[in-house]
Amino acid sequence: MSNKKRVRTRLVAALAPVVVLGVAAQPAMGQVPVPPPIKTYEGDPGRLGDPASWRTPEFNRDAGLVSMGAEFAYAAGFSGTGMNIGVVDSGVFAGHVREHGSQDTNYAVGDRYFSVEAQGGNTGPTSGFYNQAYNDSHGTHVTGTIAASRDGVGETQPSGPTANMHGVAFNANVYMGNTGKTDGVLYGLLPANATAAQKPDDAYIGNVYRAVNAAKTANGEPIKIITSSWGSQPNTEHYGTYDTPPGSPAGYGLNTAWRLWSTPDGVVDANGSTARWLNGAIEAARSGTIIQFTAGNSGYVNPSPRGAAPYFMPELESSWFTTSGINPTQGRTFNADGSVLVPGQQTFNQCGVAKWSCVTAPANNINSTTVSVVNGVPEPRYGSSSGTSMAGPHSAAALSLIMQRFPYLTNEQALQTMFTTGRQNNTVNDAAGNAVLNPTRGQIVQVPDSRNGWGTVSLREAVQGPGQFLGPFVVDTQGRDDVWSNDISDVAIRARQQEDAAEAAAWEATKVAKGWTQGLPANASDADKSDYAIGIRREQARQARAYEGNLTKRGAGSLFLTGKETWHGTSTVLDGKLSVVGSHASSIDVRGGTLGGSGRVGANVNVTGGVLRPGLASDEAAQITGAAAGNALNVDGNVTVGKSGRVAVTLSGDHDYTSIKAAGQLVLDGELDLDVRGTLTPGTVFTIMSGSSIKGEFHALPQNRVLNTGRHMFRVSYKNNSLTLTVERVLPNNGK
């Protein structure tokens, strides 16, 4: 027997079907299970695959749901089921039992809203539920926007019957931590006349974030996001500039306001406190939990310091974002099918220096749950409010739907998916910072801008996968099959490279001007210490940043890419299958697993391990919207198969077989797997690989070798820049 490796010729079964959102199917090995039917009320017209059917009067009571395309998430089967959302705010009124309930209890029990108890500082154990002695309606309004039930029932208000509303993630669970205050508590430098109600208990509120982040949930799943809209800006601060303008009060300027938060714990700050409550949120973010803070309502060019924290601490960018507002009735336009085109117009504080970690969401005239004290007794009500406090819960709940849609993505990857699928608003800034009509309004954001950041969250696009890669994107599909159908680029991170270069030059000039080239002098002021620390952190972030996108496929399961993929970095297949159904601009390295598909790779394919299996089977194509079965994988560059690599082709009929068509050179080694299905006609020639030239050959398959497989005898040829198999003979069924 020859010591050469034999040709692999085993017969293989048809590939497992891909499960597409909203299509009923039985889950099998390697498939993503279809979400269970969304539980709402009997007679709900909402149907899988029909976004318009979800736009009921209850849906329309929240002026923001259509601006984010929430109906597309519901039509795809996602309503927040199984997701746990943390909230820190002024308590939630437990009396909104129906809005806090689920279909499992016929909405008669508030079984989706949970109190998280916390204590610390001067505050004893405090429930997350509303207490009229020290809370207002703010936290109740926020949590209603997040997850109030879709129950189809109108509620009687003092003014008469009206349709109620439902939350963005109306089947999610909410875990509430209480600030122990109202929304009037101040979150920055306290004015001299601040009242007791306006002064936060820093040590206690910091512990609220820690407690919510560590809460044991009813379903045992983690709290992946904590959202905060509470608190008011003190009049001692102003975020219209970065530094204090000449002649302005000493507390003005975003950078100046940040210095309060950079005071180490244990050191007395300008408020006389030895603790910073923001550190509790920072600790949660460092654990991987996504933190959302709203941008503020004063119309400044920058968000509040807490919203802008990732600018000052770039290490938080992976787990922190801020939300500015849009007026969803101003500048909003629609497509012919009733879906939104332009979501609205930015309002309240802009994204400013935090644009790389900022989105916009509906903020004006938002109807939600409230609480009113009638004759000393709190009662459930509904009401309309405006402000970024209303925008934050919209974006946070939308992120939870994205996390439900993609359970295999990391929290950071889900956040980036939300960022890179945002839709552009009606206005942008001109060179002077004035709002002007946005010439690309309604399109998906390419690069975040200082007014709108990543634009308004668009669930229509987000449930279809990432829109860009902001650097290396290592995805472990964890045994699931999935389809990403957006066009994926790396436009933003390449633009950021230019911004970073300008910032780096400015930082070097600052160090020279201030005498910091050898570090801080011993007598540096506190302000200089803060500025230097910020500069060093941002310098380190720039040095660590990769300025092109790339994809690494890990884990079992198949990932199908159906869009126009234009990122610049090399993609790598390590496990499972990556299938190019659309176009893929950059090179692909196969080191394990399988590369397949019927699309086009615009550069080289290098198979150093694993399998190159061209084609998209009919059962795969049937599960992918708009896709057709195809046999050829086109490669604009070279195809190199190393000695540990394999090429697998399928011959199903005389004119039905898979193949690789390369514009460049074929460099062959490794092995050929041949899967023969059916009976072929003698004399038929199958061109399974073609290129501009051929170098090398497969193991044990030299020129003119006769290969016996699947009852067929094939003659191998590498002539005319093609690898061909010619059917020499068909053997009888007994193999003789």
Side-chain angles (χ1 to χ4, degrees):
M1 180 178 293
S2 170
N3 60 4
K4 292 185 177 181
K5 292 184 179 179
R6 66 182 180 84
V7 179
R8 297 172 184 255
T9 58
R10 61 187 181 278
L11 296 176
V12 297
L15 295 175
V18 177
V19 175
V20 172
L21 306 174
V23 178
Q26 293 297 317
M29 185 68 70
Q31 293 180 330
V32 176
V34 173
I38 292 178
K39 294 182 178 180
T40 60
Y41 57 93
E42 185 176 353
D44 189 337
R47 300 187 303 277
L48 289 178
D50 184 0
S53 67
W54 294 89
R55 301 183 199 126
T56 62
E58 187 180 12
F59 176 98
N60 291 326
R61 277 284 287 171
D62 179 347
L65 289 178
V66 73
S67 284
M68 298 197 308
E71 69 269 37
F72 288 88
Y74 308 149
F78 302 98
S79 60
T81 302
M83 302 305 298
N84 300 310
I85 303 172
V87 183
V88 176
D89 212 297
S90 60
V92 58
F93 179 52
H96 263 291
V97 175
R98 185 176 188 89
E99 295 293 1
H100 298 175
S102 69
Q103 181 63 36
D104 293 334
T105 59
N106 196 28
Y107 304 106
V109 178
D111 59 341
R112 293 187 300 105
Y113 278 55
F114 301 86
S115 164
V116 176
E117 185 177 282
Q119 62 181 327
N122 299 315
T123 305
T126 301
S127 165
F129 288 127
Y130 163 91
N131 187 314
Q132 69 187 89
Y134 48 78
N135 288 144
D136 59 6
S137 197
H138 190 268
T140 301
H141 195 281
V142 164
T143 55
T145 296
I146 292 171
S149 298
R150 181 179 169 101
D151 55 21
V153 175
E155 300 286 349
T156 298
Q157 299 281 286
S159 59
T162 183
N164 63 8
M165 45 69 64
H166 69 71
V168 177
F170 54 79
N171 279 329
N173 302 317
V174 173
Y175 286 80
M176 187 73 186
N178 197 329
T179 62
K181 301 285 182 176
T182 70
D183 188 47
V185 66
L186 303 177
Y187 50 66
L189 181 64
L190 298 175
N193 61 349
T195 66
Q198 292 175 316
K199 295 178 181 179
D201 186 340
D202 291 276
Y204 163 71
I205 294 179
N207 281 350
V208 176
Y209 285 95
R210 297 179 182 99
V212 172
N213 193 47
K216 292 184 177 180
T217 61
N219 61 10
E221 295 297 318
I223 292 173
K224 293 186 174 183
I225 180 170
I226 301 174
T227 181
S228 291
S229 297
W230 63 269
S232 299
Q233 176 202 323
N235 59 15
T236 54
E237 296 183 354
H238 189 289
Y239 316 132
T241 58
Y242 183 72
D243 286 312
T244 305
S248 298
Y252 279 27
L254 179 64
N255 184 31
T256 306
W258 174 257
R259 289 176 188 142
L260 174 72
W261 305 108
S262 60
T263 306
D265 278 348
V267 177
V268 177
D269 64 19
N271 288 335
S273 175
T274 58
R276 258 54 64 196
W277 63 260
L278 191 63
N279 286 341
I282 290 172
E283 288 176 24
R286 284 175 170 160
S287 76
T289 302
I290 303 296
I291 298 294
Q292 188 286 141
F293 277 106
T294 47
N297 299 338
S298 301
Y300 298 134
V301 298
N302 292 305
S304 69
R306 58 190 190 164
Y311 177 85
F312 300 103
M313 302 178 67
E315 64 271 26
L316 297 180
E317 277 195 15
S318 63
S319 56
W320 196 293
F321 74 102
T322 189
T323 308
S324 179
I326 60 163
N327 187 332
T329 60
Q330 187 175 14
R332 185 169 66 178
T333 63
F334 294 90
N335 296 305
D337 64 359
S339 63
V340 73
L341 177 60
V342 181
Q345 187 161 302
Q346 190 277 334
T347 185
F348 304 115
N349 287 1
Q350 299 176 37
C351 292
V353 299
K355 67 177 185 178
W356 287 98
S357 53
C358 180
V359 297
T360 57
N364 289 71
N365 302 314
I366 303 301
N367 286 291
S368 186
T369 50
T370 63
V371 54
S372 293
V373 179
V374 180
N375 297 323
V377 179
E379 294 185 359
R381 293 286 187 270
Y382 298 85
S384 176
S385 293
S386 298
T388 56
S389 286
M390 287 65 250
H394 276 95
S395 64
L399 179 57
S400 76
L401 296 182
I402 297 169
M403 290 173 166
Q404 184 194 5
R405 162 65 181 91
F406 300 103
Y408 55 86
L409 292 184
T410 66
N411 290 357
E412 179 183 7
Q413 289 170 341
L415 181 62
Q416 291 184 359
T417 298
M418 182 175 74
F419 285 166
T420 60
T421 53
R423 193 175 289 272
Q424 295 187 53
N425 295 322
N426 192 49
T427 58
V428 291
N429 287 338
D430 64 13
N434 301 310
V436 296
L437 196 64
N438 182 2
T440 53
R441 58 194 179 278
Q443 297 181 20
I444 299 304
V445 171
Q446 297 301 298
V447 180
D449 69 84
S450 59
R451 176 171 288 272
N452 304 283
W454 289 101
T456 295
V457 178
S458 178
L459 286 165
R460 182 175 195 165
E461 278 72 33
V463 297
Q464 299 179 56
Q468 295 193 45
F469 294 148
L470 305 180
F473 200 98
V474 181
V475 62
D476 184 344
T477 47
Q478 301 175 9
R480 297 172 170 86
D481 293 346
D482 206 351
V483 180
W484 291 356
S485 53
N486 286 322
D487 296 339
I488 306 175
S489 73
D490 59 358
V491 172
I493 194 61
R494 291 170 69 82
R496 192 169 195 183
Q497 184 175 20
Q498 303 304 312
E499 290 188 12
D500 280 359
E503 183 181 276
W507 172 237
E508 291 303 315
T510 296
K511 288 193 290 186
V512 170
K514 292 196 175 257
W516 294 348
T517 55
Q518 302 301 317
L520 279 178
N523 61 346
S525 67
D526 289 342
D528 279 354
K529 290 177 181 177
S530 176
D531 288 350
Y532 185 79
I534 294 166
I536 291 298
R537 289 192 203 103
R538 295 193 61 77
E539 179 180 57
Q540 292 170 341
R542 291 191 299 271
Q543 292 171 347
R545 197 167 287 136
Y547 292 108
E548 63 179 16
N550 65 60
L551 174 67
T552 298
K553 167 67 174 70
R554 299 195 68 100
S558 297
L559 179 59
F560 294 82
L561 304 177
T562 67
K564 182 180 180 181
E565 324 303 350
T566 58
W567 65 83
H568 289 75
T570 298
S571 297
T572 303
V573 184
L574 297 179
D575 308 291
K577 181 178 182 181
L578 180 68
S579 184
V580 177
V581 182
S583 62
H584 186 290
S586 60
S587 295
I588 302 177
D589 287 348
V590 184
R591 301 179 188 174
T594 301
L595 172 65
S598 58
R600 180 175 295 276
V601 178
N604 299 328
V605 172
N606 301 295
V607 187
T608 57
V611 183
L612 174 57
R613 184 188 299 275
L616 182 72
S618 57
D619 54 357
E620 294 176 313
Q623 303 292 334
I624 304 173
T625 302
N631 285 329
L633 179 65
N634 296 279
V635 180
D636 291 344
N638 302 325
V639 175
T640 302
V641 182
K643 65 179 181 180
S644 297
R646 289 189 285 133
V647 172
V649 296
T650 301
L651 309 180
S652 301
D654 291 347
H655 304 287
D656 183 8
Y657 62 98
T658 61
S659 65
I660 298 159
K661 298 179 179 179
Q665 186 180 38
L666 301 179
V667 181
L668 305 181
D669 200 347
E671 297 184 350
L672 175 68
D673 281 5
L674 189 60
D675 175 17
V676 181
R677 304 180 181 187
T679 301
L680 308 177
T681 303
T684 302
V685 178
F686 297 92
T687 303
I688 61 174
M689 298 186 76
S690 62
S692 62
S693 64
I694 295 183
K695 179 180 179 181
E697 59 189 30
F698 286 114
H699 291 172
L701 287 180
Q703 175 72 21
N704 289 325
R705 170 62 59 89
V706 174
L707 169 64
N708 184 345
T709 183
R711 297 178 43 244
H712 295 77
M713 297 180 67
F714 299 91
R715 187 170 298 279
V716 178
S717 174
Y718 297 92
K719 293 182 178 181
N720 300 318
N721 302 326
S722 299
L723 170 57
T724 61
L725 301 176
T726 302
V727 181
E728 296 281 304
R729 181 182 176 190
V730 180
L731 301 176
N733 286 334
N734 60 11
K736 296 181 180 179

